[in-house]
Amino acid sequence: MKPAITHRQLQYLVAVSDTGHFGNAAKKCNVSQPTLSSQIQLLEDRLGARLLERAPDGARPTPQGERAIAISREVLALVNEIGAITRAAESNLGGLIRIGILPSFGPYFLPTLLARLKPTYPELEISIREESNDRLVREIREGRLDCALTLPPEDCAGLAFEPLYEEPLLLALPADHPLAGQSSIHPRMLKGEVILSLNRAQRETKAIKDFFAAAGAVIQDDYEGTSFDALRLMVSIGQGLSLFPQLYSRSECASDSGVVLRDIEGMTVERTIGLVWSAGSVRTHHYRKLLEECTAALNNQTGDSATLNRAA
């Protein structure tokens, strides 16, 4: 089997055509003349045709060489274009990222993140999917998503997870609730209170139930909301209390006169949001860079760097 034609051989051939001399072509390509000559000889042997006429005063293409040189120029231009595309993609986090995000986090964070990414990575394409935590993790495993901003996976086998944000959860009460006049709520005040939570598919439930069980509150099992908007409505009409994430609360609750938000005294109630991707992915460096951009965007949005976990 004859050796394959190489990129370097085509470069050498074009250089001889441009300079008209083997020695000058070798200098242009930063190689020795014997190296350049032997590579062109290998190219001619591979093609079974004489491409250059050698003479004491230089070299010129044969008719077959003229055609081969024209094609070589096209091939080299295409290779350079591929390199430019690859370099541009690398400088734009790979060119395309299919990212998943929780519905309870995405709408309140993505505008800030995208506004930061656009000027820094102008050629970056982002495909966004909102799904429950379990669905996001499944789609990463199936290769439908590249990464996701979500809660820590229950099963991390084959996955990488880097924490981004320890998001505080605030207690939401009806505006006319007896506790609404308190500046903050002690857990003992919640004993016997009815608590509304998201459905199990959203994976908010465990953290919320653990907290309220410790406080002696009663989880309302016959109602589990599918969104924080639905929970907020139920809270506003006096059906119970709930916990809302910080970014959602800032965006949606400030103008809702039917709901008040209070901190919990003496207890830290929060959820961890982080970036998940397939462990060992060749694009890990892209995802870590994206995580850095997410951290910077959150710093700007929350003004509270103490709540952020920077990726290593």
Side-chain angles (χ1 to χ4, degrees):
M1 180 180 293
K2 294 183 178 180
I5 296 172
T6 69
H7 177 266
R8 191 178 300 273
Q9 288 169 349
L10 299 184
Q11 284 182 315
Y12 293 167
L13 177 63
V14 170
V16 173
S17 175
D18 288 344
T19 63
H21 195 280
F22 276 79
N24 293 339
K27 291 178 182 178
K28 182 178 180 180
C29 296
N30 295 313
V31 295
S32 68
Q33 183 172 334
T35 295
L36 182 139
S37 296
S38 65
Q39 287 299 312
I40 289 181
Q41 183 65 57
L42 287 173
L43 176 61
E44 291 177 323
D45 291 344
R46 173 65 180 81
L47 296 176
R50 178 69 65 184
L51 303 178
L52 297 169
E53 292 288 353
R54 282 80 165 169
D57 60 343
R60 63 179 181 274
T62 65
Q64 288 179 306
E66 292 282 4
R67 292 193 292 273
I69 290 166
I71 294 172
S72 296
R73 293 187 192 278
E74 294 178 7
V75 170
L76 294 173
L78 288 173
V79 170
N80 289 337
E81 185 175 348
I82 291 171
I85 291 172
T86 303
R87 289 189 295 273
E90 186 64 25
S91 65
N92 282 278
L93 302 182
L96 170 66
I97 293 180
R98 301 169 300 166
I99 185 170
I101 197 162
L102 287 177
S104 60
F105 184 66
Y108 317 106
F109 173 61
L110 281 177
T112 302
L113 176 62
L114 296 178
R116 178 180 179 84
L117 291 176
K118 186 174 182 179
T120 307
Y121 307 99
E123 302 302 320
L124 174 63
E125 297 180 44
I126 299 182
S127 173
I128 300 168
R129 182 190 297 272
E130 287 188 358
E131 292 286 359
S132 67
N133 185 79
D134 292 344
R135 182 65 178 269
L136 292 175
V137 170
R138 183 163 63 251
E139 294 205 359
I140 290 174
R141 293 189 187 279
E142 294 173 351
R144 299 177 186 273
L145 290 173
D146 297 316
C147 58
L149 285 166
T150 187
L151 307 175
E154 291 184 320
D155 178 8
C156 285
L159 298 173
F161 177 81
E162 289 286 351
L164 166 68
Y165 184 37
E166 299 294 341
E167 185 174 26
L169 300 175
L170 304 176
L171 182 68
L173 309 91
D176 58 359
H177 192 281
L179 296 178
Q182 302 290 327
S183 59
S184 61
I185 306 299
H186 193 279
R188 67 172 177 269
M189 299 177 180
L190 298 175
K191 186 174 182 179
E193 292 289 344
V194 174
I195 305 302
L196 307 174
S197 66
L198 288 181
N199 64 31
R200 291 177 178 84
Q202 299 296 330
R203 277 284 316 282
E204 307 290 350
T205 307
K206 186 177 186 305
I208 291 174
K209 287 188 174 182
D210 287 350
F211 166 75
F212 283 117
V218 179
I219 301 295
Q220 183 65 273
D221 290 326
D222 60 357
Y223 177 82
E224 290 184 326
T226 57
S227 71
F228 283 116
D229 285 343
L231 286 180
R232 180 162 55 91
L233 176 60
M234 296 296 287
V235 171
S236 70
I237 62 176
Q239 296 302 299
L241 315 183
S242 193
L243 288 177
F244 292 154
Q246 181 187 61
L247 294 187
Y248 171 84
S249 300
R250 289 181 177 182
S251 174
E252 304 298 333
C253 296
S255 60
D256 189 339
S257 60
V259 174
V260 297
L261 299 170
R262 297 291 182 264
D263 291 322
I264 308 293
E265 292 181 20
M267 294 187 73
T268 300
V269 188
E270 59 192 16
R271 65 175 183 173
T272 300
I273 300 291
L275 192 66
V276 184
W277 66 90
S278 294
S281 169
V282 296
R283 298 188 65 190
T284 292
H285 61 297
H286 292 152
Y287 305 142
R288 290 190 181 281
K289 185 62 179 178
L290 176 63
L291 193 63
E292 292 177 8
E293 297 293 346
C294 289
T295 299
L298 272 170
N299 264 327
N300 292 336
Q301 184 169 354
T302 66
D304 184 7
S305 60
T307 65
L308 303 180
N309 285 336
R310 295 189 181 276

